Amino acid sequence: MASAIMNRASSSSTMRSISLYAALRIRNYAKVANGSDIVSVAPNVSLQKARTWDEGVSSKFSTTPIKDIFKDKKVVIFGLPGAYTGVCSSKHVPTYKDNIDKFKAKGIDSVVCVAINDPYTLNAWAEKLQAKDAIEFYGDFDGSFHKSLELVTDLSGALLGTRSERWSAYVVDGKIKALNIEEAPSDVKVSGADTILGQI
């Protein structure tokens, strides 16, 4: 796969960096699949909802258990390599933000974005994208959630270290009904809003 990606790269430095970003990672296969109970796979994991530092202090740095995000709810969740990165900002998040009314019309209780970032960075990024009112952003600050699901990838070649795969899922009361994982972190081919809308 890496050689195919490298062969498609153009001579421009931008395309070379994107290809290198994709080629340097090792593709892992997720522990979860359609039918998996996401709460059982990550039973003791909590995430941190995007917030300012002052909000973190006032809440005594509270966290949200995974079960509270999914129990008795229809949730669309998508993971991405990181806040402020190019594809995540320009292509991935906007597909969900621009389609939030369609998700609500299908009975989705919440659309969640999760990344291996601290909640303060995610908060600033969500505000910059003007997406915080539509999407719930959560920080998986130490990668526990993604590691439990085996949805991590090594992006050290792009100076990002351990990061989330680019993925999406439709989850009903904790059970995964549809799961989409990109082959390369620079792709938004199967993890965008259009794909998951067709799976609900």
Side-chain angles (χ1 to χ4, degrees):
M1 184 186 78
S3 60
I5 292 169
M6 292 304 292
N7 288 337
R8 288 197 298 268
S10 74
S11 59
S12 73
S13 61
T14 300
M15 287 304 296
R16 280 199 305 270
S17 65
I18 290 172
S19 297
L20 182 63
Y21 178 60
L24 289 176
R25 67 192 283 279
I26 297 172
R27 179 72 174 91
N28 292 318
Y29 290 91
K31 183 176 182 179
V32 290
N34 290 351
S36 297
D37 185 330
I38 203 167
V39 178
S40 296
V41 174
N44 300 312
V45 173
S46 294
L47 298 175
Q48 294 180 324
K49 195 162 188 178
R51 61 198 177 199
T52 66
W53 176 260
D54 288 343
E55 288 169 339
V57 171
S58 66
S59 71
K60 297 182 180 178
F61 302 104
S62 65
T63 59
T64 305
I66 293 299
K67 62 181 173 55
D68 290 354
I69 296 172
F70 296 105
K71 185 173 175 54
D72 299 323
K73 296 175 186 174
K74 293 181 179 179
V75 176
V76 167
I77 183 170
F78 64 103
L80 42 77
Y84 292 102
T85 55
V87 174
C88 302
S89 299
S90 65
K91 293 183 179 179
H92 206 182
V93 171
T95 69
Y96 287 91
K97 176 189 169 187
D98 296 343
N99 284 286
I100 196 65
D101 290 340
K102 293 180 182 178
F103 284 113
K104 297 302 180 184
K106 285 179 173 280
I108 298 302
D109 295 299
S110 58
V111 174
V112 173
C113 174
V114 62
I116 301 178
N117 283 115
D118 64 80
Y120 320 110
T121 298
L122 281 177
N123 186 69
W125 184 52
E127 289 183 347
K128 181 176 181 179
L129 295 177
Q130 299 180 334
K132 198 174 177 185
D133 290 339
I135 301 167
E136 294 180 17
F137 288 78
Y138 283 91
D140 180 18
F141 77 99
D142 63 355
S144 294
F145 177 63
H146 285 92
K147 289 172 185 174
S148 296
L149 275 55
E150 295 182 3
L151 283 171
V152 292
T153 188
D154 183 3
L155 295 179
S156 297
L159 305 180
L160 293 172
T162 300
R163 293 288 177 149
S164 165
E165 296 275 8
R166 191 180 302 283
W167 61 281
S168 66
Y170 170 44
V171 184
V172 178
D173 193 22
K175 300 290 193 305
I176 296 175
K177 300 297 183 180
L179 176 65
N180 311 291
I181 308 170
E182 298 289 356
E183 284 296 320
S186 54
D187 291 341
V188 185
K189 295 179 179 177
V190 299
S191 63
D194 289 343
T195 299
I196 208 83
L197 278 167
Q199 295 170 326
I200 298 172

